[in-house]
């Protein structure tokens, strides 16, 4: 790379904007005839681009007996098509100086590359190719399923906290496929065949079941034209009927215990709660976001301040809530008791904090603090084209429109203290609660038995 | 509209770096590195101190992290809660990192006047007047102890600690907290560490974002004017002796064995860094295309995770290969890893592999710098390790100059089988 190119690169990144406060370009969208949605957001700070393909197919679309196939197929997508050898796509990305990866969740499977902008057409060509031409060979499958089993061992089998999470979901959801782990149950992985992978691919990998998101130093019109050229030739497929599998209302608390080698107990509590379906009309998900911010949005937020810093009941506490998603929602609180405290004591402490909030509500101070963070994060996210692409993809895959991203943020800023109290009272109740507890086991389970009397060494 | 041309022209007129890093020293002796980037109304600030693990006495391992955590636990003027609130109230974000060489804190804030002023005032308070309150000390020490004990049950933590201990021996780079070392730590130790090591003369401030030089100067001054002052150079660290080759096996009931191989290899400033970086891409650093990935994962399905990397430090930082695989095939996977490494050490990369490595490292250079955050991290590195300001400008041309013989020679110097330590954690619970 010559010094002249370097200077241009840096000049772009460090560009002096005449109007520093100018809002970034809004994203634009087109839908191809074959049903593919293409969303582009121009961001000219650096000569790079992010290209993502999101398939509306995740572990929630799996059947019993084949859990883990969505994720396994994600692995298989790197193994070559009818025209492109296994690894060739990766080699070309690497040669262009790019990075790639993919991820599977309960809701979707997404593939992405981050490349210098000149490589974008090549990325689209390859991604379009594997959308319709993937080859799933028995040999490659038999190796890759082993890799996935190692992944399960690494992420779940040998991770007590992950085992707790898995147990919580399996208990909280009886009918809905969110009860299955995305990596799949080990026995399903052991019983999987390449035919399962091929069926999955044939069912779900179609342009009318996909969304392409591009963010970076591109021109929207160029991207739409390229999308038409590469993705446009793929035929739409009739998609299988998706059964709703609506989770019946939970009518009482559920408890599950997991025993695994660890030092400290660990606790997860999950309450069923709503997610966004209508950005304009729904208000509870926004109130829940603010509630979680009051509980855990910074180090002086309620849970950390009260349980870690003051009473020292907990060594760690955290919360998690996603207001968007294809499936049902859950508000999660988790924590590790301090040494000498039990999971039951921590649970009591957490319940007390939530009861206090439901009773007394939140202060204007706390509300303002959460909103200040929301406002700031809107600015900060402009520093990451990857983050912006993720946000667009996440909205779209959840059945919402990327156009509503800013509106959703405005709605969060408009949440009142009374609304926060209302959702706390309504949703943080026992009848919607599932609790999963880690019961730590000593590492050396198999202690040597004492020798029988009279035995010699 | 952007004043691109004007900017580029003003650069061309001098022998300045293509990436304009402005550099000066504050009144108290802290070094400052500033990159103006006005596209987004935000500021990122990082302050690194020479207070990493290497400055901690062996019998009190864990003190470095503990002192670092306590910086925000209360100051002369503000309680812990007030500190957190002041920062959150203006939407700012506080971060912290500690490794063997450095302990640092970072601040991300809006650049608008009110928000910036409050966030920076809070940050200045944290860095310059921590009071190490007794209550917070007791609490954080207990948390650290709990974490250490938890770590002793996790195969990856066990492996990492054993690895560093084995390759570094008594050198501070090999230290890790144990329940015994943590138990010995007193509040006064944290205060002393702060006074001795969080000193202005060894502090490095990096600022990236929406500010002009004059504002950057004021910020740097505000963050450093009241830092402790140096009481003399820190105690010199011993040289690093290369370990003898050995294999350590540690029992654990996990379903996977965690395997690490490596040795102390490379310092930050060493010119071998470039041939090693290029070579490592082929060996185990190049994402989905490295030899380790192809032989261990792709062809045999032994592992989900297999990698190699160099971590240059102030003194020789580690070269490490890592792989996790079910215990039944740990020996087979290890043998395969050794075969790949030995073949690479014997013959180095092929011409095609070398070309691919260079293409990726050069072509992907823009991706290392395409955000304020990434710029901050890169420039902070340059600042702390006193690399030339033109480090980023020269990066790609130095990569391009690396030849096959350079890679072979650098690996022959730095990665010798005679000094390779192997750690295997987990073999079904049996020793």
């Amino acid at each position: 790379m010559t010094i002249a190119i370097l200077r241009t690169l840096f000049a772009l990144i460090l560009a002096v904007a005449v109007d520093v406060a100018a809002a970034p370009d809004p994203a634009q969208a087109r839908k191809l005839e074959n049903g593919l949605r293409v969303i582009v957001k121009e961001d000219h700070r650096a000569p790079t681009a992010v290209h993502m393909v999101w398939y509306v197919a995740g572990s929630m679309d799996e059947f019993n007996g084949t859990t883990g196939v969505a994720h396994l197929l994600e692995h298989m997508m790197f193994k070559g098509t009818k025209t492109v050898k296994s690894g060739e796509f990766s080699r070309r990305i690497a040669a262009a100086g790019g990075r790639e990866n993919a991820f599977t969740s309960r809701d979707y499977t997404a593939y992405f590359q981050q490349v210098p902008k000149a490589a974008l057409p090549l990325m689209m060509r390859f991604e379009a190719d594997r959308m319709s031409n993937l080859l799933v060979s028995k040999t490659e499958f038999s190796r890759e399923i082993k890799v996935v089993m190692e992944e399960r061992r690494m992420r779940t089998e040998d991770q007590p906290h992950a085992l707790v999470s898995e147990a919580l979901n399996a208990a909280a959801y009886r009918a809905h496929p969110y009860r299955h782990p995305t990596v799949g149950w080990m026995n399903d992985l052991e019983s999987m065949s390449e035919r399962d992978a091929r069926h999955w691919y044939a069912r779900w990998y179609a342009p009318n079941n996909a969304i392409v998101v591009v963010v970076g130093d591109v021109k929207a019109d160029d991207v739409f034209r390229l999308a038409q050229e590469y993705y446009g030739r793929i035929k739409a497929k009739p998609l299988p009927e998706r059964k709703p599998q609506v989770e019946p209302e939970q009518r009482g608390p559920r408890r599950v215990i997991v025993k695994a080698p660890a030092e400290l107990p660990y606790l997860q509590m999950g309450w069923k709660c709503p997610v966004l379906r209508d950005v304009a009309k729904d208000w509870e998900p926004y109130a829940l976001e603010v509630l979680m911010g009051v509980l855990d949005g910074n180090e002086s937020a309620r849970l950390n301040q009260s349980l870690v810093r003051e009473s020292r009941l907990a060594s760690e506490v955290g919360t998690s809530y996603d207001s968007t998603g294809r499936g049902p929602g859950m508000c999660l609180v988790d924590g590790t008791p301090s040494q000498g405290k039990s999971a039951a004591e921590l649970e009591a402490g957490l319940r007390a904090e939530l009861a206090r909030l439901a009773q007394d509500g939140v202060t204007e101070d706390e509300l303002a603090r959460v909103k200040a963070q929301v406002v700031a994060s809107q600015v900060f996210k402009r520093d990451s084209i990857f983050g912006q692409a993720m946000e667009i993809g996440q909205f779209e895959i959840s059945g919402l429109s990327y156009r509503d991203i800013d509106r959703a943020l405005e709605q969060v800023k408009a949440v009142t203290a009374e609304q926060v109290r209302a959702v706390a009272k309504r949703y943080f109740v026992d009848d919607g609660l599932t609790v999963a507890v880690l019961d730590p086991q000593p590492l050396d389970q198999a202690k040597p038995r004492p020798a029988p009397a009279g035995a010699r060494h | 509209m952007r004043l691109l041309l004007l900017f580029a022209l003003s650069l061309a007129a001098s022998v300045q770096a293509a990436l304009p890093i402005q550099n000066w020293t504050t009144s108290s002796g802290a070094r400052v590195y500033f990159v103006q980037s006005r596209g987004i109304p935000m500021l990122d600030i990082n302050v690194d101190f020479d207070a990493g693990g290497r400055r901690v006495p062996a019998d009190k391992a864990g003190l470095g992290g503990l002192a670092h955590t306590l910086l925000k636990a209360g100051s002369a003027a503000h309680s812990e809660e007030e500190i957190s609130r002041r920062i959150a109230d203006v939407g700012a974000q506080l971060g912290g990192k500690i490794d063997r060489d450095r302990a640092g804190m970072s601040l991300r804030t809006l650049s608008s006047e009110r928000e910036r002023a409050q966030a920076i005032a809070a940050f200045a308070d944290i860095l310059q007047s921590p009071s190490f309150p007794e209550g917070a000390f007791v609490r954080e020490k207990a948390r650290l102890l709990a974490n250490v004990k938890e770590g002793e049950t996790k195969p990856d933590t066990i492996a990492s600690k054993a690895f560093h201990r084995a390759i570094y021996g008594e050198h501070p780079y090999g230290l890790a907290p144990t329940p015994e070392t943590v138990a010995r730590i007193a509040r006064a130790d944290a205060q002393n560490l702060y006074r001795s090591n969080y000193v202005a003369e060894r502090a490095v401030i990096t600022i990236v974002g929406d500010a002009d030089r004059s504002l950057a100067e004021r910020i740097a001054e505000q963050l450093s004017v009241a830092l402790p002052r140096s009481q003399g150079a820190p105690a010199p660290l011993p040289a690093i002796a290369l370990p003898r080759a050995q294999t350590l096996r540690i029992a654990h009931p996990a379903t996977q064995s965690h395997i690490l191989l490596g040795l102390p290899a490379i310092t930050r400033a060493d010119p071998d860094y470039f041939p090693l970086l290029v070579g490592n891409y082929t060996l185990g650093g190049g994402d989905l295309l490295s030899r380790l990935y192809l032989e261990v994962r792709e062809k045999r399905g032994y592992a989900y995770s297999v990698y190699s990397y160099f971590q240059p430090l102030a003194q020789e930082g580690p070269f490490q290969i890592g792989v996790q695989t079910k215990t039944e095939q740990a020996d087979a996977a290890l043998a395969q890893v050794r075969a790949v490494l030995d073949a690479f050490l014997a013959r180095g990369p092929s011409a095609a592999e070398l070309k691919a490595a260079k293409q990726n490292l050069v072509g992907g250079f823009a991706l290392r710098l395409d955000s304020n955050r990434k710029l901050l991290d890169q420039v902070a590195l340059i600042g702390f390790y006193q690399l030339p300001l033109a480090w980023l400008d020269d990066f790609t041309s130095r990569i391009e100059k690396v030849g096959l013989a350079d890679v072979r020679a650098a690996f022959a110097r730095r990665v010798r089988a005679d000094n390779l330590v192997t750690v295997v954690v987990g073999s079904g619970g049996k020793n």
Side-chain angles (χ1 to χ4, degrees):
Chain A
M1 194 178 274
T2 65
I3 203 83
I5 296 171
L6 269 177
R7 288 215 175 101
T8 311
L9 161 65
F10 293 132
L12 273 170
I13 295 167
L14 310 177
V16 177
V18 170
D19 178 1
V20 160
D25 294 322
Q28 304 174 54
R30 293 265 171 88
K31 192 171 184 175
L32 303 187
E33 262 194 61
N34 59 14
L36 180 74
R37 278 170 283 171
V38 183
I39 303 171
V40 183
K41 189 173 190 192
E42 297 187 15
D43 184 316
H44 302 284
R45 291 180 73 227
T48 64
V50 171
H51 168 246
M52 305 183 100
V53 181
W54 296 64
Y55 290 94
V56 189
S59 61
M60 69 174 275
D61 301 296
E62 292 166 352
F63 303 133
N64 283 353
T66 56
T67 61
V69 70
H71 171 240
L72 177 278
L73 196 278
E74 179 225 299
H75 278 237
M76 297 309 298
M77 282 279 273
F78 291 83
K79 302 295 185 181
T81 70
K82 294 171 193 153
T83 48
V84 177
K85 272 182 14 235
S86 178
E88 184 59 22
F89 188 176
S90 298
R91 264 188 291 281
R92 298 294 293 273
I93 293 171
R99 293 174 195 171
E100 61 171 336
N101 217 323
F103 39 82
T104 309
S105 80
R106 303 187 294 194
D107 291 354
Y108 60 81
T109 313
Y111 304 83
F112 69 88
Q113 304 88 37
Q114 286 180 269
V115 290
K117 66 176 179 182
L120 179 63
L122 188 68
M123 300 302 108
M124 296 181 92
R125 197 184 103 204
F126 275 127
E127 204 62 79
D129 178 47
R130 66 181 179 180
M131 181 183 279
S132 55
N133 292 329
L134 186 70
L135 283 174
V136 178
S137 90
K138 183 169 176 158
T139 326
E140 294 276 21
F141 168 83
S142 65
R143 286 189 280 228
E144 201 60 24
I145 191 71
K146 289 191 197 141
V147 172
V148 169
M149 286 194 252
E150 294 303 327
E151 189 176 352
R152 192 193 147 90
R153 287 183 190 107
M154 192 184 89
R155 291 198 201 279
T156 307
E157 306 282 328
D158 291 346
Q159 301 276 7
H161 290 198
L163 288 170
V164 169
S165 247
E166 188 173 76
L168 185 135
N169 282 317
Y173 299 108
R174 299 279 169 81
H176 195 278
Y178 270 7
R179 73 181 184 279
H180 295 307
T182 300
V183 72
W185 300 110
M186 187 57 103
N187 188 257
D188 281 1
L189 295 175
E190 287 164 348
S191 318
M192 199 172 292
S193 79
E194 71 279 4
R195 288 177 299 283
D196 299 316
R198 286 184 199 133
H199 288 157
W200 180 264
Y201 180 74
R203 283 170 75 83
W204 297 117
Y205 278 63
N208 48 314
N209 196 38
I211 306 156
V212 169
V213 181
V214 176
V215 179
D217 188 18
V218 298
K219 292 218 180 57
D221 287 339
D222 289 343
V223 178
F224 293 136
R225 187 178 42 78
L226 286 166
Q228 177 57 44
E229 183 183 338
Y230 293 121
Y231 292 107
R233 31 184 130 137
I234 308 171
K235 287 208 178 63
K237 277 185 201 171
L239 295 176
E241 187 186 351
R242 295 184 209 253
K243 300 290 187 186
Q245 299 181 90
V246 171
E247 181 67 21
E249 193 187 334
Q250 188 173 336
R251 294 200 201 176
R254 298 172 190 169
R255 288 187 174 276
V256 65
I257 296 173
V258 175
K259 292 186 178 182
E263 172 70 22
L264 300 166
Y266 172 69
L267 170 71
Q268 275 198 5
M269 300 172 74
W271 287 267
K272 303 272 175 68
C273 64
V275 292
L276 275 174
R277 297 287 174 229
D278 183 324
V279 172
K281 296 206 187 97
D282 295 344
W283 61 269
E284 290 180 323
Y286 305 121
L288 285 166
E289 282 190 42
V290 173
L291 170 60
M292 298 309 246
V294 170
L295 289 175
D296 183 43
N298 71 85
E299 290 193 54
S300 70
R302 297 242 180 149
L303 296 182
N304 196 65
Q305 185 63 33
S306 170
L307 300 174
V308 176
R309 289 178 166 183
E310 288 171 8
S311 69
R312 305 196 191 163
L313 193 43
S315 204
E316 307 281 345
V317 278
T319 64
S320 166
Y321 167 63
D322 200 340
S323 60
T324 64
R326 287 174 59 203
M330 185 181 284
C331 283
L332 271 168
V333 175
D334 75 332
T336 301
S338 295
Q339 200 123 44
K341 303 286 183 192
S342 68
E345 288 173 280
L346 177 56
E347 183 181 332
L350 286 165
R351 282 171 175 277
E353 280 301 316
L354 291 164
R356 183 163 75 87
L357 196 151
Q359 168 95 338
D360 303 335
V362 301
T363 67
E364 286 305 319
D365 246 17
E366 286 174 312
L367 216 55
R369 191 165 302 126
V370 170
K371 291 176 184 182
Q373 289 175 304
V374 170
V375 166
S377 67
Q378 272 176 284
V379 173
F380 298 154
K381 83 182 181 197
R382 287 163 56 186
D383 193 43
S384 168
I385 55 173
F386 184 78
Q388 291 171 67
M390 282 297 301
E391 189 178 39
I392 290 170
Q394 176 66 29
F395 250 66
E396 289 283 328
I397 214 84
S398 306
L400 308 170
S401 167
Y402 73 92
R403 287 189 193 87
D404 286 332
I405 289 172
D406 287 339
R407 183 185 210 171
L409 285 163
E410 292 307 309
Q411 299 275 59
V412 173
K413 290 189 232 171
V415 167
T416 66
E418 194 42 51
Q419 286 176 319
V420 175
R421 188 147 77 111
V423 292
K425 281 174 102 138
R426 181 167 181 193
Y427 294 109
F428 283 79
V429 293
D430 260 20
D431 284 354
L433 170 66
T434 306
V435 181
V437 173
L438 172 65
D439 179 3
Q441 303 297 300
L443 241 62
D444 49 350
Q445 301 256 32
K447 290 199 191 269
R449 291 213 208 121
R456 299 168 67 104
H457 290 288
Chain B
M1 208 212 319
R2 282 161 280 136
L3 303 171
L4 271 182
L5 199 52
L6 189 62
F7 207 56
L9 282 173
S10 73
L11 292 176
S14 71
V15 291
Q16 275 175 352
L19 175 65
I21 303 174
Q22 298 182 58
N23 163 234
W24 65 92
T25 310
T26 67
S27 66
S28 57
R31 287 179 288 122
V32 189
Y33 298 83
F34 167 53
V35 177
Q36 189 178 69
S37 170
R38 310 207 79 158
I40 305 176
M42 57 190 276
L43 260 183
D44 282 298
I45 305 169
N46 186 74
V47 184
D48 278 337
F49 297 96
D50 180 10
R54 65 181 179 159
R55 296 294 180 211
V56 172
D59 63 338
K60 294 187 181 168
L63 171 59
L66 188 52
H68 179 249
T69 298
L70 287 168
L71 290 179
K72 53 181 161 62
S75 69
H78 297 282
S79 72
E80 189 173 38
E81 192 176 9
E82 283 167 353
I83 287 173
S84 302
R85 286 185 178 187
R86 281 176 89 199
I87 295 201
D89 278 344
V90 290
Q93 295 170 353
L94 192 68
K97 265 192 313 200
I98 181 165
D99 64 28
R100 288 170 169 82
D101 282 348
R102 45 182 171 151
M105 299 213 74
S106 64
L107 180 77
R108 168 163 274 197
T109 174
L110 297 173
S111 57
S112 43
E113 175 88 44
R114 181 194 148 244
E115 285 72 24
R116 185 193 72 225
Q118 180 163 320
I120 289 174
F123 195 37
D125 191 39
I126 288 168
L127 296 174
Q128 296 174 109
S129 30
S131 55
F132 301 94
E134 179 69 33
F137 173 78
V138 167
R139 179 192 78 217
E140 290 302 324
K141 181 172 163 172
R143 288 177 82 199
L144 174 60
L145 188 60
N147 277 338
V148 169
K149 287 188 181 170
E150 189 72 62
E152 288 182 343
T153 68
K154 295 160 106 57
D156 44 356
T157 310
I158 295 168
S160 180
K161 287 186 177 178
F163 174 78
H164 285 90
R165 175 78 183 150
I167 69 172
Y168 286 115
E170 298 299 324
H171 188 280
Y173 279 173
L175 285 181
T178 68
E180 293 74 29
T181 66
V182 174
R184 283 188 208 112
I185 300 173
R187 179 172 167 253
D189 295 321
Q191 291 169 307
N192 289 337
L193 186 95
Y194 174 77
R195 275 195 287 268
S196 309
N197 295 98
Y198 284 76
V199 298
E201 294 86 345
R202 284 184 273 136
V204 177
I205 301 172
T206 310
I207 303 173
V208 174
D210 181 29
D212 59 20
R213 168 74 182 240
S214 145
L215 175 60
E217 282 182 11
R218 289 199 305 278
I219 290 172
E221 194 63 26
Q222 189 179 354
L223 294 176
S224 62
V225 66
L227 283 172
R229 304 302 280 267
S230 177
Q231 294 149 40
L237 291 160
I240 287 172
L242 291 174
R244 274 179 309 108
Q246 59 191 282
T247 300
L248 294 167
R249 291 185 184 268
I250 301 169
H252 193 281
T255 64
Q256 280 193 325
S257 298
H258 289 241
I259 301 170
L260 297 175
L261 295 86
L263 76 175
I266 187 77
T267 66
R268 257 296 154 192
D270 198 305
D272 269 351
Y273 174 71
F274 289 96
L276 291 176
L277 184 69
V278 173
N280 187 65
Y281 182 90
T282 299
L283 175 60
D287 268 0
L288 315 186
L289 300 165
S290 69
R291 287 197 190 176
L292 282 172
Y293 188 92
L294 287 168
E295 296 298 325
V296 178
R297 175 170 156 161
E298 282 288 283
K299 285 191 186 163
R300 293 172 178 84
Y302 281 153
Y304 171 72
S305 167
V306 61
Y307 59 85
S308 70
Y309 70 88
F310 287 91
Q311 188 197 2
L313 293 172
Q315 290 179 277
E316 289 80 358
F319 167 71
Q320 188 184 92
I321 296 177
V323 62
Q324 292 102 53
T325 188
K326 68 180 177 186
T327 56
E328 297 89 324
Q329 61 198 18
D331 289 339
L334 176 56
Q336 190 56 53
V337 165
R338 275 310 298 261
V340 170
L341 177 64
D342 292 343
F344 187 82
L345 292 175
R347 286 177 293 282
S350 68
E353 284 173 320
L354 184 77
K355 181 172 175 208
K358 285 157 70 166
Q359 266 186 316
N360 180 265
L361 291 168
V362 170
F365 185 63
L367 290 180
R368 291 175 190 245
L369 302 169
D370 63 351
S371 72
N372 286 358
R373 168 74 52 170
K374 290 179 188 178
L375 276 172
L376 185 80
D377 290 343
Q378 292 283 0
V379 176
L381 198 75
I382 288 171
F384 185 81
Y385 289 104
Q386 303 200 67
L387 301 172
L389 289 187
W391 173 264
L392 290 168
D393 304 341
D394 296 342
F395 191 89
T396 53
S397 60
R398 293 185 76 170
I399 296 279
E400 271 161 352
K401 289 196 185 95
V402 172
L404 288 169
D406 300 321
V407 174
R408 282 197 299 268
F411 271 82
R413 278 191 287 274
R414 302 291 169 185
V415 184
R416 281 193 263 227
D418 288 345
N419 305 113
L420 203 64
V421 167
T422 303
V423 173
V424 180
V425 175
S427 43
K430 293 180 162 48
N431 254 325

